[in-house]
Amino acid sequence: MGRVTVRRPVLKIAADGSRSRPDTLAAEEPLEIRVNGAPLSVTMRTPGHDVELAHGFLLTEGVIHDKAQLSTARYCDSPGPDGRNTYNVLDILLAPGVQPPDASVTRNFYTTSSCGVCGKAALDSVRLSTRHSPADDPLTLDTDTLTALPDRLRAAQRVFDTTGGLHAAGLFDSDGGLLVVREDVGRHNAVDKVLGWAVLADRVPLTGCVLLVSGRASFELVQKAAMAGVPALAAVSAPSSLAVDLAAEQGMTLIGFLRGRTMNVYTGTERIVTKDIA
């Protein structure tokens, strides 16, 4: 299987001179996801937790809604230049009676590590309907719990410590307990891996949970969280305008700039128990 990190030569230049040395980089390789043998998507990802990634992707694209709709997952033969299997093609078999993705959906399913919705035909096509609406989730969060989450996520980013080149997504319970962390070169892949973990653990919908991402909160990440029934999404950086609009539409609490003792709550403020955190 592809490695999570690779070594490459680099010329290190600093104030005291320059020297050649090996550097550790985050690995990036393509993963082709097939459903019942038919190609569906190619995404650029960091190898590892591929089955979770595929399950999370199928959940957030509305292909499946829970674990019972899946049968098996297996790697297909995909030989590299040396003739050895690259483990870059994964086939997901749906349970009997589950409909495969509609071939008439007008979308190019190639996604890069930076964009999870590239090729969408129209904005309406990414407003996927969820069977796990977060709107009625009774979750409440106090500010002390929220402000502690970024440090807990950062402490669990083991590959980032080595490479400095990965996004992370972490799932927490209402008390701030860490449930799972996943890293990837693509922020959407990190989220799909977390949500795929939830599918395999039979924990969807993710009621009473907070999803924290290490970068910005984009439209696609709000969509993915909504498809899994996540009532609160927090980011250490800014949200986009469409992310805020979709979060409000879905009844989700959206938090941005969660840093130190401060944060901006853009939607779902009724879930936040405020304290003096200045």
Side-chain angles (χ1 to χ4, degrees):
M1 175 158 318
R3 293 173 295 179
V4 175
T5 61
V6 296
R7 301 280 278 178
R8 294 288 187 269
V10 63
L11 176 64
K12 178 73 172 181
I13 302 175
D16 58 352
S18 62
R19 62 188 177 93
S20 297
R21 47 161 284 188
D23 193 28
T24 302
L25 306 176
E28 182 177 28
E29 296 181 13
L31 175 68
E32 178 181 317
I33 299 173
R34 299 178 180 176
V35 175
N36 294 346
L40 176 65
S41 169
V42 176
T43 186
M44 301 302 295
R45 97 303 189 191
T46 299
H49 303 289
D50 290 337
V51 174
E52 292 178 350
L53 191 161
H55 284 57
F57 178 80
L58 294 179
L59 172 72
T60 59
E61 290 297 325
V63 178
I64 62 169
H65 305 292
D66 55 45
K67 181 181 179 181
Q69 294 184 298
L70 298 163
S71 177
T72 58
R74 65 180 181 85
Y75 285 101
C76 303
D77 290 336
S78 53
D82 59 0
R84 303 175 68 178
N85 197 348
T86 62
Y87 294 95
N88 284 340
V89 179
L90 185 66
D91 190 17
I92 306 294
L93 300 182
L94 301 178
V98 178
Q99 292 297 313
D102 186 353
S104 67
V105 174
T106 54
R107 172 178 174 181
N108 172 8
F109 272 96
Y110 171 76
T111 59
T112 69
S113 59
S114 61
C115 175
V117 292
C118 298
K120 286 287 192 182
L123 182 60
D124 286 346
S125 70
V126 296
R127 291 186 183 275
L128 301 177
S129 59
T130 177
R131 294 191 179 185
H132 309 300
S133 174
D136 297 325
D137 194 307
L139 172 72
T140 59
L141 296 162
D142 67 65
T143 52
D144 284 344
T145 297
L146 285 167
T147 56
L149 299 187
D151 285 344
R152 292 176 185 172
L153 178 66
R154 179 65 185 84
Q157 292 180 246
R158 297 175 181 175
V159 184
F160 182 88
D161 286 337
T162 304
T163 66
L166 290 177
H167 294 282
L171 190 67
F172 298 83
D173 62 25
S174 59
D175 295 322
L178 180 60
L179 301 175
V180 62
V181 171
R182 293 291 181 260
E183 296 178 276
D184 199 277
V185 289
R187 60 173 60 87
H188 60 96
N189 287 336
V191 169
D192 278 343
K193 288 177 179 182
V194 166
L195 301 184
W197 170 88
V199 171
L200 292 168
D202 205 15
R203 298 189 66 145
V204 175
L206 285 165
T207 55
C209 290
V210 183
L211 180 64
L212 175 64
V213 294
S214 60
R216 61 186 178 87
S218 62
F219 178 94
E220 60 177 319
L221 298 191
V222 173
Q223 173 200 299
K224 288 178 180 295
M227 293 297 286
V230 176
L233 172 64
V236 300
S237 191
S240 68
S241 61
L242 280 179
V244 173
D245 292 345
L246 184 60
E249 178 184 302
Q250 294 293 327
M252 182 187 303
T253 298
L254 179 61
I255 301 162
F257 296 106
L258 181 57
R259 303 171 183 174
R261 302 290 297 170
T262 64
M263 69 191 77
N264 290 347
V265 184
Y266 293 88
T267 64
T269 56
E270 69 279 359
R271 289 194 176 101
I272 308 301
V273 180
T274 59
K275 296 181 178 180
D276 181 9
I277 58 173

